[in-house]
């Protein structure tokens, strides 16, 4: 792995950290926010300080050969602790139990890091090793113990987190909590990779203890990419349940916004004399979809005098007789009624030709323009209306609506 192999994922994680900064600032009291911050920060720092160019510069600036190895060990320990603490708080339970387990893991991590520092200070590692520190100093007093402690802690953390995530994922699969379920599956994979990293390191170090360096490539060439991929997937796994629902909501709003366009445009002559709703360029997709559904509702109110209740009832009976569900029959009936009303209004030359806006005085309490409401309902109505409009006839219920 070259420097860019480390710095590119570090930059991506740093961007995610910056994007999430406002959220961290407002929810810093939350243990989960603190844990996510630690995971993002330690993952980015791990990539930065694990890169060979950074190792060389840090060693030169500090004047302490191989101190970068100690720094990376400490950073990765913080990443493991942050992952465990987040998982504990994420899973929840009795508040006192969660707090006790959190303090236990933080204290254990602090003790491990302090032990790293003591063992490193007692060791003699004068020759700089940018890529094969673990194997090169596998038989060096104090460093040997530091390496074993690091790999043991790494292995134990990976096994504990992967096991907990797998058990929880199996529980959530039955509850259909999709985003959290897939986040946990990604975490199982991520910590499986970090476990593989530790085991490969152990094998290479064990070979050194046996007097051979033939297995060094396991530590220097195969293990680092697994650790990097595992760290990246760990971040994704923890962020997916947080970001996923938001992305899902944006996608649903965007689809509804686009789906409502045919009906929105068809009703444009009935927009009324008022100023159109202005949406800020920075407005969310949810706000855009809500504004469009509100405009459609207002325009339908102006179209209300041309809506034929008997036509609506006949269209609903027609849809029901062709196998549509009650909900789909209502959608079809409303779409057919709106289509017929627009045809009737056009035939009566109301509104006038061109794009002149027409406002019709209507008593809202005496008229129900449509039984369909909400962005998703109006999106389905618009799709059915578009189908009827293209066919040129208010008959032919869309069978897909009945599915």
């Amino acid at each position: 792995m070259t420097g860019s192999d480390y710095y590119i994922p570090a930059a991506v994680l740093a961007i995610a950290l910056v994007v999430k900064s406002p959220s961290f600032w407002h929810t810093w009291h939350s243990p989960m926010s603190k844990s996510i911050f630690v995971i993002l920060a330690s993952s980015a720092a791990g990539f930065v300080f694990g890169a060979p160019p950074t190792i060389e510069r840090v060693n030169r600036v500090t004047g302490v050969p191989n101190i970068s190895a100690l720094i990376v060990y400490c950073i990765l320990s913080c990443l493991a602790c942050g992952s465990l603490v987040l998982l504990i708080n994420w899973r929840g339970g009795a508040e006192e139990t969660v707090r006790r387990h959190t303090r236990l893991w933080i204290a254990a991590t602090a003790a491990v890091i302090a032990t790293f520092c003591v063992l490193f200070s007692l060791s003699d590692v004068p020759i700089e090793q940018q890529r094969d520190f673990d194997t090169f100093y596998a038989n060096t007093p104090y460093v040997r113990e530091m390496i074993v402690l690091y790999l043991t802690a790494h292995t134990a953390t990976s096994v504990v987190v992967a096991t907990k995530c797998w058990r929880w994922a199996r529980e959530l699969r039955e509850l259909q909590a999709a985003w959290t379920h897939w986040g946990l599956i990604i975490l199982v994979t991520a910590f499986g990779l970090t476990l593989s990293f530790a085991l490969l390191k152990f094998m290479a170090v064990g070979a050194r203890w046996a007097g051979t360096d033939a297995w060094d490539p396991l530590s220097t060439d195969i293990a680092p990419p697994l650790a990097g991929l595992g760290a990246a997937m760990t971040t994704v796994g923890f962020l997916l349940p947080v970001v996923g629902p938001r992305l899902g909501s944006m996608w649903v709003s965007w689809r509804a916004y686009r789906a409502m366009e045919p009906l929105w445009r068809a009703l444009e002559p009935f927009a009324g004399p008022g100023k159109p709703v202005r949406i800020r360029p920075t407005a969310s997709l949810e706000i855009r979809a809500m504004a469009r559904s509100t405009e459609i509702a207002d325009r339908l109110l102006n179209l209300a005098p041309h809506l034929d209740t008997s036509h609506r009832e006949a269209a609903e009976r027609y849809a029901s007789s062709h196998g549509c569900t009650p909900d789909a029959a209502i959608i079809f009936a409303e779409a057919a009624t709106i289509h017929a009303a627009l045809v009737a209004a056009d035939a009566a030359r109301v509104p006038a030709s061109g794009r002149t806006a027409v406002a019709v005085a209507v008593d809202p309490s005496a008229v129900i323009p449509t039984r369909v409401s909400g962005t998703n309902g109006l999106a389905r109505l618009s799709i059915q209306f578009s189908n009827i409009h293209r066919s040129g006839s208010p008959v032919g219920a869309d069978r897909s609506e009945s599915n």
Side-chain angles (χ1 to χ4, degrees), residues 36 111 179 211 214 231 256 284 295 330 338 365 400:
I36 293 175
W179 289 110
S284 67
E295 290 181 338
I330 291 175
I338 292 170
S365 63
S400 65

Side-chain angles (χ1 to χ4, degrees), residues 175-391:
L175 299 176
Q176 297 182 344
W179 289 110
T180 303
H181 171 76
W182 286 111
L184 290 169
I185 294 298
I186 292 174
L187 287 174
V188 171
T189 305
F191 281 94
L193 291 173
T194 58
L195 176 60
S196 300
F197 162 83
L199 294 177
L200 289 172
K201 287 278 189 179
F202 257 131
M203 293 170 65
V205 170
R208 280 285 186 147
W209 293 342
T212 178
D213 60 358
W215 290 20
D216 282 8
L218 295 177
S219 175
T220 57
D221 299 327
I222 301 178
L226 293 178
L229 181 59
M233 291 185 67
T234 298
T235 304
V236 173
F238 278 122
L239 290 181
L240 185 63
V242 178
V243 178
R246 171 59 178 161
L247 293 177
S249 175
M250 291 173 62
W251 174 246
V252 170
S253 297
W254 171 247
R255 290 185 61 185
Y257 178 81
R258 295 291 298 170
M260 285 187 289
E261 185 171 1
L263 182 59
W264 177 74
R265 290 195 179 280
L267 293 170
E268 191 171 4
F270 293 87
K275 293 183 178 180
V277 178
R278 295 190 178 276
I279 305 297
R280 293 181 300 173
T282 57
S284 67
L285 293 173
E286 291 86 351
I287 291 178
R288 292 178 183 274
M290 183 65 69
R292 177 161 286 185
S293 67
T294 300
E295 290 181 338
I296 289 175
D298 291 341
R299 295 174 184 185
L300 284 173
L301 191 61
N302 290 332
L303 180 66
H306 304 282
L307 296 173
D308 188 343
T309 302
S310 61
H311 188 284
R312 174 185 289 160
E313 294 172 352
E316 187 172 352
R317 288 195 300 270
Y318 172 86
S320 298
S321 67
H322 282 72
C324 287
T325 63
D327 183 49
I330 291 175
I331 294 290
F332 172 77
E334 297 300 324
T337 304
I338 292 170
H339 177 270
L342 289 172
V343 172
D346 184 64
R349 305 186 66 82
V350 178
S353 60
R355 297 175 59 84
T356 305
V358 173
V360 180
V362 179
D363 181 5
S365 63
V367 166
I368 301 177
T370 177
R371 290 170 291 174
V372 181
S373 61
T375 55
N376 292 330
L378 289 176
R380 291 179 61 198
L381 177 62
S382 180
I383 293 172
Q384 182 66 77
F385 170 83
S386 181
N387 294 336
I388 294 175
H389 183 70
R390 283 198 303 268
S391 68

Side-chain angles (χ1 to χ4, degrees), residues 108-155:
T109 302
V112 169
I113 291 175
T115 305
F116 286 159
C117 295
V118 172
L119 292 174
F120 186 82
S121 65
L122 295 174
S123 65
D124 182 19
V125 286
I127 302 175
E128 181 181 87
Q129 298 296 320
Q130 296 183 8
R131 301 181 68 244
D132 55 353
F133 176 85
D134 302 311
T135 51
F136 188 84
Y137 288 109
N139 292 301
T140 302
Y142 300 112
V143 172
R144 174 182 57 221
E145 287 76 12
M146 184 178 77
I147 293 171
V148 171
L149 176 61
Y150 163 67
L151 294 178
T152 301
H154 208 70
T155 301

Side-chain angles (χ1 to χ4, degrees), residues 66-75 113 116-117 120 133 146:
N66 296 302
I67 194 172
S68 288
L70 174 63
I71 295 174
V72 171
Y73 281 11
C74 294
I75 290 173
I113 291 175
F116 286 159
C117 295
F120 186 82
F133 176 85
M146 184 178 77

Side-chain angles (χ1 to χ4, degrees), residues 11-21 24 40 235 239:
V12 173
L13 290 167
I15 292 173
L17 191 62
V18 171
V19 171
K20 291 286 294 180
S21 292
F24 292 142
L40 288 174
T235 304
L239 290 181

